[in-house]
Amino acid sequence: MSILASKSQGKGGPDPIFAISDMAKVRAEEVGAQNIVNATIGSFLDSEGRLVTLKSVEEAMRSLDFSDACDYAPIAGLPRFIDAAIDAAFLDCRPEAYLAGMATPGGTGGLHNAFYNYLEEGATCITTDRYWGNYASLLDEIGRKLDTFNTFDGDKFDIKACLAKVHEYAAKQKNMMLLLNTPAHNPTGFSVTDDEWQILIKELSAVANNGVNNVILVIDVAYIDFAGPHGRDFFKLFTHLPDNFLVIVTFSMSKGYTLYGYRLGCMIGISSSQETIEEFKKANAYSSRATWSNCNRAAMLTMIEFADHPEKQAIFKAEQEDLRLSLVKRAETFITEANAVDLPICPYQAGFFITVPTKDVQEAQEIAAIMREDDIFVVPLGAGLRVAICAIPEEKITGMAAKFKEAFKRLEK
Ligand SMILES: Cc1ncc(COP(=O)(O)O)c(C=O)c1O
């Protein structure tokens, strides 16, 4: 018997990522954490398996006045935080357009508001078929849907498949919403290139100008601080867009500031229309108030602390860069070895995860099971295996590609 409201019945249940993570934890207790490879966790961990945090962020946070940090923040966020978050998101690549920021609990909150306010009930958001699973839950929870298109054409973003889906949904619903997680996509690490962005923007502008549709482009930049130099250049392209083409950037402090649990992000609206931006502020502030109310003031003050003290900001940026470079080294180790043993991987430019593609969902499950026999824990996700290089030190990455190759060979026999 269920006493849940009818629309809530049947939802929930074990999360496939946490299920594999739990297997790794059980095994670590049996044989010792140092003797297993747990590449399931989506946080940056050091060689002892502890969460990496940035000293500059810790110091900025510890320097806050406690009662100030504990107070409520305005629903939209402290104005100086919003300015600082917009600066941090765009750096020197700010588009020439009207901009507005809204504090959100992580990038997740921004996604929720975007889905809720710009899609009719029952309408669909489109994204790549390799995607962060929570998109589907966020949409489903509020009675919206997800549809996907092929992510890659060989070693490139499948822009043709993307645009075909854009046109399919432009014919079905007024607000055509495209969601892209770039740069440094989860779970593959790919980034849309600037040339691809040019094509996308041209085509999406044509849709916006067709007299029927509005275009809502949601860009999930949760991993942007790991994208490296030029990772933000594409933002400049969102200049002089049609008035009914809204870009929503969901910026997060979880990964780049190592403040995962503090739950702070900023959804940033970019538009050529002041009216659209005013509406963005009003509607999203209302949704925030009606969903989680206000966000974490301590994390906002931390960001303000950096904005107000260039010397602290410089130390923070240097530390963040070291973190990025250590991830680059981990990725290089995996990719070099994958090339050496001829193990195909999905296109990777940057980010926390690398995906080893499989021919189908079943093969992914089988390879994951074989890898577990060697105490290597990776997450089967659709037709592929997600390797969280963020969670394992280089010494544990060494040899992993060869193990994958062996697993594929064993399966062939
Ligand atoms: C692709 C992607 N988008 C968004 C998020 C949201 O993270 P948060 O809400 O902590 O900012 C995550 C977190 O894992 C993610 O992987």
Side-chain angles (χ1 to χ4, degrees):
M1 184 193 79
S2 169
I3 61 165
L4 289 165
S6 55
K7 73 170 175 45
S8 295
Q9 286 177 18
K11 78 177 180 187
D15 177 293
I17 298 185
F18 288 123
I20 309 263
S21 228
D22 286 346
M23 286 184 205
K25 277 185 205 143
V26 170
R27 188 66 183 146
E29 269 166 30
E30 286 165 9
V31 298
Q34 69 283 8
N35 297 315
I36 71 157
V37 178
N38 183 358
T40 64
I41 298 165
S43 318
F44 210 117
L45 306 183
D46 66 12
S47 52
E48 262 82 58
R50 277 185 313 240
L51 189 78
V52 175
T53 54
L54 302 183
K55 199 98 209 109
S56 52
V57 175
E58 183 182 343
E59 281 169 8
M61 219 165 216
R62 287 191 191 280
S63 75
L64 302 178
D65 176 80
F66 188 62
S67 77
D68 187 11
C70 289
D71 204 352
Y72 284 126
I75 299 294
L78 292 164
R80 283 195 301 147
F81 159 73
I82 295 171
D83 291 344
I86 292 176
D87 279 345
F90 298 137
L91 295 180
D92 56 350
C93 300
R94 191 182 272 252
E96 281 173 47
Y98 292 103
L99 302 175
M102 176 74 43
T104 54
T108 305
L111 292 165
H112 165 85
N113 278 359
F115 297 153
Y116 190 76
N117 287 318
Y118 293 93
L119 285 174
E120 300 290 342
E121 235 177 302
T124 297
C125 168
I126 57 173
T127 195
T128 49
D129 65 356
R130 295 190 185 274
Y131 66 91
W132 183 48
N134 204 28
Y135 294 151
S137 314
L138 279 160
L139 285 155
D140 176 62
E141 177 73 359
I142 55 169
R144 275 77 169 155
K145 295 185 193 132
L146 186 70
D147 196 358
T148 62
F149 51 86
N150 191 41
T151 311
F152 299 117
D153 177 14
D155 60 359
K156 290 204 163 67
F157 175 50
D158 192 344
I159 198 156
K160 257 173 90 178
C162 172
L163 291 173
K165 248 322 159 210
V166 163
H167 290 294
E168 181 186 328
Y169 276 92
K172 289 186 189 166
Q173 56 191 53
K174 188 173 171 64
N175 278 11
M176 201 297 305
M177 182 182 280
L178 170 63
L179 163 63
L180 291 175
N181 172 209
T182 181
H185 173 255
N186 171 8
T188 67
F190 99 95
S191 301
V192 175
T193 66
D194 291 353
D195 288 348
E196 288 160 347
W197 270 122
Q198 303 256 18
I199 300 170
L200 279 176
I201 291 169
K202 191 163 165 245
E203 290 278 332
L204 293 173
S205 297
V207 171
N209 284 329
N210 68 8
V212 179
N213 292 109
N214 299 314
V215 170
I216 317 295
L217 172 62
V218 182
I219 312 175
D220 175 357
V221 299
Y223 299 90
I224 198 161
D225 289 316
F226 296 87
H230 304 295
R232 289 165 157 90
D233 289 359
F234 71 97
F235 285 135
K236 286 192 265 185
L237 301 171
F238 301 126
T239 296
H240 306 313
L241 298 178
D243 279 4
N244 59 339
F245 182 158
L246 172 68
V247 182
I248 300 174
V249 173
T250 56
F251 177 76
S252 166
M253 290 180 79
S254 297
K255 333 277 171 180
Y257 290 71
T258 64
L259 284 176
Y260 310 81
Y262 274 90
R263 311 306 305 137
L264 188 62
C266 186
M267 71 185 297
I268 304 169
I270 306 173
S271 173
S272 304
S273 153
Q274 191 170 12
E275 196 186 335
T276 299
I277 285 297
E278 289 309 316
E279 186 186 63
F280 171 92
K281 285 198 250 180
K282 260 172 58 189
N284 288 305
Y286 189 94
S287 293
S288 299
R289 178 76 173 127
T291 313
W292 50 76
S293 189
N294 55 93
C295 296
N296 190 306
R297 186 177 174 107
M300 287 184 210
L301 292 172
T302 302
M303 195 162 220
I304 293 171
E305 190 70 10
F306 288 136
D308 286 352
H309 298 93
E311 70 292 353
K312 291 188 186 175
Q313 178 93 287
I315 296 170
F316 159 66
K317 276 288 169 199
E319 255 195 296
Q320 197 187 47
E321 182 62 1
D322 284 348
L323 191 63
R324 184 184 77 80
L325 291 174
S326 68
L327 188 63
V328 168
K329 276 174 103 183
R330 292 181 187 187
E332 275 171 5
T333 303
F334 190 93
I335 294 168
T336 307
E337 292 193 356
N339 289 340
V341 298
D342 205 16
L343 175 77
I345 59 168
C346 288
Y348 176 96
Q349 276 87 38
F352 277 29
F353 309 100
I354 289 177
T355 289
V356 176
T358 55
K359 68 172 187 285
D360 53 29
V361 174
Q362 194 189 333
E363 190 180 53
Q365 297 287 343
E366 287 168 352
I367 296 288
I370 296 174
M371 295 293 278
R372 285 199 295 275
E373 289 172 17
D374 273 327
D375 285 330
I376 299 173
F377 295 81
V378 291
V379 177
L381 265 190
L385 298 131
R386 188 184 82 167
V387 184
I389 54 168
C390 56
I392 41 174
E394 256 179 284
E395 58 269 24
K396 285 194 176 180
I397 293 175
T398 305
M400 220 174 162
K403 292 281 185 195
F404 268 113
K405 192 72 190 175
E406 270 171 41
F408 278 101
K409 282 195 183 137
R410 260 180 66 187
L411 207 58
E412 269 169 25
K413 280 184 195 151

